[in-house]
Amino acid sequence: MAEQGLHQAEGAVNDEALFENEDQDFEFDESGLELAAKEADLDYEAELEGIYPNENLSLPEAWNSGTAILPTITDWSSTELTREGSDGPAPFRSGAITPDGFIEEDFEAEIGTPSLNNYFQDDEETDEEFQDIAEHKILEVAGDDLYGRKVIVFAACKLPPSAQIDHQRLLEYMKHVLDQYVENDYVIVYFHFGLTSKNKPKLSWLIQIYKELDRKYKKNLKAWYIVHPTNFIKILWNIFKPFIRSVKFGRKIMYVNYLHELKEHLHFDQLVVPPLVLQHDAKMVASNKPKYPYGQDSNDAGTLPTQQYGVSLHHIKSHYGTVIPPVVQQTVDYLRQNALDVEGIFRRSANAVQLKAVQKKFNQGETVNFAVEGDEHIPAVALKIFLRDLQEPLLTFDLYQPILRLHTVEDERKVAEVRRMLHEELPEDNYQILKFIVQLLTEVVDHSAMNKMNSSNLAIVFGPNLLWPKGQASLSSMGYLNNFARLLIDNYSQLFDR
């Protein structure tokens, strides 16, 4: 019975193509959920140890008699359970995850220009406060996905034994990290492999997470990728789903069987993937031998002469003959003339189908008429994606470590040191492009009374798109990059005027 049903869970969570603009509050049936957790006759311990329960699950008799409030396996529709069967995992069905492009919550009021001594100090204090939790690197931030949404990574394999970590502090740390990003659209990547009976949290803690992470955290969550899901995870979700009365939440769950499937939605080379997960994935796909996207292309071979996305600045300049790439020129010009007063500019998502069409036009050397697109967020996101897709970040790999070390520089010397970096160490073409973009950002800040985008908001958006390491970025480094971007915006005249 269970095996027949297990072939169909994924379809239910991915059937709907588009998200609606209005997110209703998540309703929580606490008594029902706790009852489900208590009465579900699933071999939790065995599953976590990698010994999967018998497919013919034994469920409480009351479920089958109709006297209990919980559904039975036989009551779940054919689209409610996993497709995994005797032939192995079925190919991943990604579904449509086109962002809705709207954030209804009010943005915070303009907080003004912060004093210079706050640029890197807050991150150091946070590191000290949660050092015992952060050192495990359970939670990481991996830049933006292909639609410009922040990516938060949670790795179960990095959870230490339960006796060695305070799960309440872990929850507080999770909330602290999410607080920096939840006012933007964001996505979560959860690596399930590595959860065992030794490091698994109590189910009551998971329920507490749901209750404490209220609508502020759930509203702008646009996709939740569960990587290497087991049958147990899929069945557990279907048991709990009736008590989480939000259709939209179900649409956000995305089961990912193999790591390479994430490349369709994320910048895989920037994703923080634990070695244990990589090894597990390699074993799972050994028989199918799919192409691994773990490396990064280092040249422009195979690209169009007119291509602008995913290539080097040198490639673009050699074809178009201009320092400022056409995509940067056109997006900045349009935004300056039409979008300075648009609320949430650079912060909201845009329609993925339109974005791909715009990218295709730019890659074919065409001029894009953004007025026809009918959405000011299209050029804003197109600019962010261009920066993130560069083969080398605009601020260059060479400046990554010097910029991270700025927090050790005395406050009164920070601006002078950044100015020296930009004028002496950044290539001239990169300098001119950076100046062109940051000038626009200062104009956006000047209109923050209308667009609700101050320098802190913009820094969170642009920090990881201006600079990233060759490998994987740590969570603490993301804070330094955001602070550096804020320093560029707040001190534009001092930094860029010759």
Side-chain angles (χ1 to χ4, degrees):
M1 179 73 66
E3 183 175 355
Q4 179 180 359
L6 287 175
H7 286 273
Q8 303 167 13
E10 220 164 306
V13 297
N14 292 322
D15 278 345
E16 295 294 333
L18 299 175
F19 299 156
E20 299 173 8
N21 290 340
E22 291 294 333
D23 256 339
Q24 56 185 344
D25 287 330
F26 284 63
E27 298 180 33
F28 179 69
D29 186 343
E30 181 174 345
S31 61
L33 185 52
E34 291 176 346
L35 180 60
K38 181 178 181 181
E39 295 193 1
D41 189 17
L42 301 174
D43 194 348
Y44 190 26
E45 296 285 341
E47 191 277 337
L48 293 170
E49 293 287 5
I51 307 171
Y52 298 101
N54 191 302
E55 293 286 321
N56 297 314
L57 296 174
S58 174
L59 301 176
E61 184 176 349
W63 291 20
N64 292 320
S65 66
T67 59
I69 63 171
L70 298 176
T72 67
I73 291 283
T74 56
D75 288 334
W76 293 336
S77 69
S78 61
T79 59
E80 293 295 312
L81 297 176
T82 178
R83 297 174 297 144
E84 208 168 280
S86 59
D87 295 331
F92 175 63
R93 180 184 174 193
S94 63
I97 60 169
T98 302
D100 56 23
F102 294 96
I103 300 177
E104 295 96 24
E105 292 185 60
D106 292 336
F107 297 101
E108 65 270 30
E110 182 179 5
I111 62 174
T113 301
S115 60
L116 191 60
N117 60 6
N118 287 331
Y119 279 112
F120 295 91
Q121 183 177 4
D122 292 344
D123 294 280
E124 291 175 334
E125 294 175 353
T126 299
D127 288 345
E128 293 177 2
E129 179 184 358
F130 292 104
Q131 180 61 34
D132 58 321
I133 303 297
E135 65 184 7
H136 297 293
K137 297 184 177 180
I138 302 165
L139 206 63
E140 300 280 3
V141 180
D144 296 347
D145 68 0
L146 299 183
Y147 310 119
R149 306 173 298 197
K150 199 64 62 184
V151 179
I152 313 294
V153 177
F154 189 101
C157 67
K158 293 187 177 182
L159 281 169
S162 296
Q164 298 177 17
I165 187 171
D166 184 341
H167 286 101
Q168 285 302 117
R169 281 186 53 73
L170 174 58
L171 175 56
E172 291 303 313
Y173 178 63
M174 290 167 58
K175 292 167 66 176
H176 167 76
V177 172
L178 291 175
D179 281 343
Q180 303 174 55
Y181 305 105
V182 294
E183 291 183 2
N184 305 303
D185 293 349
Y186 72 103
V187 303
I188 293 176
V189 177
Y190 168 63
F191 294 117
H192 178 60
F193 179 77
L195 192 69
T196 71
S197 60
K198 295 180 181 179
N199 68 357
K200 70 175 180 68
K202 293 181 179 179
L203 196 57
S204 59
W205 183 73
L206 300 179
I207 296 174
Q208 181 184 0
I209 288 180
Y210 181 85
K211 290 190 287 187
E212 293 200 17
L213 297 184
D214 55 20
R215 188 172 187 265
K216 179 179 96 170
Y217 300 94
K218 298 164 186 170
K219 178 178 175 54
N220 289 329
L221 173 64
K222 297 303 177 184
W224 181 5
Y225 302 98
I226 301 179
V227 183
H228 300 139
T230 59
N231 288 340
F232 172 82
I233 288 293
K234 298 173 182 179
I235 293 174
L236 192 64
W237 163 246
N238 281 282
I239 290 175
F240 288 167
K241 187 161 60 175
F243 308 102
I244 302 175
R245 303 187 186 99
S246 172
V247 176
K248 284 193 66 175
F249 186 73
R251 300 173 190 168
K252 299 176 183 182
I253 300 292
M254 312 289 287
Y255 291 144
V256 179
N257 294 319
Y258 305 120
L259 287 175
H260 69 268
E261 294 159 357
L262 288 172
K263 194 175 184 182
E264 181 182 352
H265 309 293
L266 310 173
H267 295 279
F268 190 89
D269 57 314
Q270 298 297 320
L271 197 60
V272 184
V273 184
L276 284 176
V277 175
L278 290 173
Q279 295 169 12
H280 174 68
D281 187 74
K283 292 179 181 179
M284 287 186 62
V285 300
S287 59
N288 297 330
K289 295 181 173 56
K291 180 181 178 181
Y292 280 83
Y294 300 149
Q296 181 176 11
D297 296 335
S298 58
N299 54 59
D300 298 330
T303 61
L304 296 171
T306 55
Q307 190 157 335
Q308 297 186 67
Y309 283 87
V311 296
S312 64
L313 292 175
H314 174 75
H315 175 92
I316 299 172
K317 184 180 179 181
S318 64
H319 178 80
Y320 291 96
T322 59
V323 171
I324 306 297
V327 61
V328 175
Q329 186 75 57
Q330 292 181 41
T331 54
V332 169
D333 287 349
Y334 183 85
L335 291 168
R336 177 175 285 123
Q337 296 173 17
N338 301 278
L340 293 181
D341 290 333
V342 174
E343 185 170 311
I345 194 66
F346 287 118
R347 193 172 191 173
R348 292 181 178 173
S349 308
N351 183 279
V353 175
Q354 289 179 276
L355 279 173
K356 289 180 179 179
V358 165
Q359 288 178 260
K360 183 177 180 180
K361 289 181 180 179
F362 276 124
N363 283 337
Q364 293 175 342
E366 300 177 22
T367 299
V368 176
N369 186 351
F370 288 112
V372 175
E373 299 296 332
D375 182 1
E376 289 85 356
H377 299 290
I378 294 291
V381 178
L383 176 60
K384 291 191 298 179
I385 293 176
F386 168 80
L387 292 171
R388 187 66 186 189
D389 279 358
L390 285 171
Q391 288 186 353
E392 182 174 15
L394 185 60
L395 286 167
T396 74
F397 290 127
D398 289 340
L399 283 181
Y400 181 78
Q401 288 300 331
I403 287 175
L404 290 192
R405 289 194 295 267
L406 277 174
H407 72 280
T408 65
V409 177
E410 296 176 356
D411 295 331
E412 58 271 17
R413 294 183 53 244
K414 278 189 171 69
V415 171
E417 175 59 18
V418 172
R419 178 181 171 85
R420 185 199 65 78
M421 280 186 193
L422 298 181
H423 288 266
E424 297 180 11
E425 299 185 39
L426 191 65
E428 181 63 23
D429 287 358
N430 297 55
Y431 172 87
Q432 293 297 336
I433 297 170
L434 179 66
K435 179 181 179 180
F436 188 67
I437 293 173
V438 176
Q439 182 180 10
L440 172 69
L441 300 185
T442 64
E443 295 174 36
V444 172
V445 172
D446 289 341
H447 291 250
S448 60
M450 292 293 295
N451 60 41
K452 303 298 190 296
M453 294 299 291
N454 54 43
S455 61
S456 296
N457 303 144
L458 292 170
I460 291 175
V461 171
F462 276 90
N465 292 318
L466 292 174
L467 184 61
W468 59 86
K470 289 184 177 180
Q472 298 172 345
S474 66
L475 183 58
S476 60
S477 68
M478 295 295 294
Y480 293 140
L481 298 182
N482 295 345
N483 289 333
F484 180 79
R486 178 156 55 102
L487 187 147
L488 293 179
I489 299 169
D490 290 340
N491 301 277
Y492 172 80
S493 297
Q494 296 171 265
L495 293 173
F496 290 97
D497 286 352
R498 294 290 187 179

